[in-house]
């Protein structure tokens, strides 16, 4: 199976300072076959990854993490930025209109997850059932919800630091070579997730970092 990390943040996100080139180099070194740089509300990291990725063996999947009114939504295979602040339904429409793939990110996360009620009434194409910055109980709940709704699974590390790259992955069948083939395989439900959830030591660090950055941003959510 090919190992893809479909949720990562570069310096084009306000809460990450990672260099795109360094992210790609690290991904290759860790035996990752494909990556999506899903910065908050911009495709800039993905555009850069697409340019730099040509010199690597990586499959680069264009993506971004859109701040919808109710929470975070991952859009893949996009040509242009999807605006933030729309409802979940409007955001999914904008993604699908571009021929993209709309995924609910970390649905049970406090503040930035959409929550179950919104997901039940929004036509998502998949749910992110493994996010390495979510605690295990949240990831397990998403998995159950995806099964109940008959939706495909995706996964990613949600890396904001190089050490987190590849902590959670989605595995797709060998032979896949392009973004289009990746998204098609996911749509068909051929993706399997692998990796780890957030443990207690990382939880303490994560909460401290989130609160610190929230204060620095002037008490604004991303
Ligand atoms: Zn998020
Ligand atoms: Zn994220």
């Amino acid at each position: 199976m090919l190992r893809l990390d479909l949720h990562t943040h570069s310096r084009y996100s306000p809460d990450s300072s990672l260099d795109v080139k360094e992210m790609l180099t690290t991904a290759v070194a860790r035996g990752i076959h494909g990556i999506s740089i899903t910065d908050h509300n911009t495709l800039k990291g993905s555009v850069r990854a697409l340019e730099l990725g040509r010199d690597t063996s990586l499959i680069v999947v264009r993506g971004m993490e859109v701040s919808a009114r109710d929470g975070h939504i991952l859009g893949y295979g996009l040509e242009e930025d999807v605006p933030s602040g729309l409802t979940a339904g409007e955001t999914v429409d904008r993604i699908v209109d571009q021929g993209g793939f709309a995924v609910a990110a970390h649905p049970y996360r406090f503040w930035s997850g959409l929550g179950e009620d919104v997901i039940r009434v929004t036509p998502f194409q998949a749910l992110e059932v493994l996010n390495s910055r979510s605690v295990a109980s949240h990831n397990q709940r998403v998995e159950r919800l995806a099964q109940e709704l008959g939706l495909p699974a995706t996964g990613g590390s949600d890396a904001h630091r190089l050490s987190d790259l590849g902590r959670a992955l989605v595995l797709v069948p060998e032979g896949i070579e392009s973004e289009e083939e990746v998204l098609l395989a996911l749509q068909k439900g051929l993706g399997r997730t692998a990796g780890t959830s957030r443990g207690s030591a990382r939880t303490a660090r994560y909460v401290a970092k989130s609160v610190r950055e929230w204060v620095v941003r002037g008490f604004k959510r991303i």
Side-chain angles (χ1 to χ4, degrees), residues 8-217:
T8 67
H9 292 273
S10 78
R11 62 165 53 127
Y12 296 103
S13 291
D15 54 355
S16 168
S17 55
L18 294 182
D19 176 67
V20 174
K21 192 168 185 182
E22 219 175 332
M23 291 171 78
L24 301 187
T25 313
T26 306
V28 172
R30 290 203 184 142
I32 293 168
H33 303 100
I35 190 167
S36 186
I37 297 188
T38 50
D39 286 312
H40 293 292
N41 304 308
T42 178
L43 278 170
K44 281 188 189 131
S46 270
V47 170
R48 189 84 185 107
L50 209 54
E51 288 165 16
L52 296 167
R54 289 195 197 104
D55 301 331
T56 72
S57 55
L58 288 168
I59 304 169
V60 173
V61 176
R62 292 167 298 171
M64 66 186 284
E65 185 171 22
V66 186
S67 299
R69 202 182 298 165
D70 312 299
H72 290 176
I73 297 175
L74 292 160
Y76 295 108
L78 299 176
E79 297 286 340
E80 45 187 84
D81 286 353
V82 172
S84 57
L86 304 175
T87 66
E90 287 165 345
T91 308
V92 169
D93 282 350
R94 297 285 188 106
I95 293 169
V96 173
D97 283 350
Q98 287 189 46
F101 189 65
V103 179
H106 49 68
Y108 293 106
R109 189 171 297 169
F110 182 65
W111 267 5
S112 55
L114 290 166
E116 203 172 303
D117 294 346
V118 172
I119 287 174
R120 286 183 185 280
V121 297
T122 309
F124 281 103
Q125 288 153 296
L127 303 184
E128 185 182 56
V129 310
L130 186 62
N131 178 305
S132 85
R133 297 225 300 173
S134 294
V135 291
S137 61
H138 285 190
N139 283 324
Q140 284 153 10
R141 282 173 74 191
V142 192
E143 193 160 7
R144 284 198 293 272
L145 184 63
Q147 273 163 10
E148 184 200 323
L149 300 175
L151 286 173
T154 73
S157 63
D158 206 354
H160 290 65
R161 309 182 321 165
L162 280 181
S163 57
D164 288 337
L165 259 184
R167 273 192 202 270
L169 301 158
V170 64
L171 311 179
V172 297
E174 299 277 344
I176 282 173
E177 287 176 351
S178 65
E179 169 191 277
E180 199 184 345
E181 289 170 357
V182 168
L183 298 179
L184 206 60
L186 293 177
Q187 209 151 16
K188 287 183 185 163
L190 298 175
R192 297 286 171 271
T193 56
T196 56
S197 301
R198 182 152 52 85
S200 51
R202 281 171 64 217
T203 297
R205 208 160 56 219
Y206 169 78
V207 170
K209 175 179 186 284
S210 301
V211 169
R212 202 163 54 234
E213 289 175 356
W214 174 63
V215 172
V216 170
R217 284 195 305 270

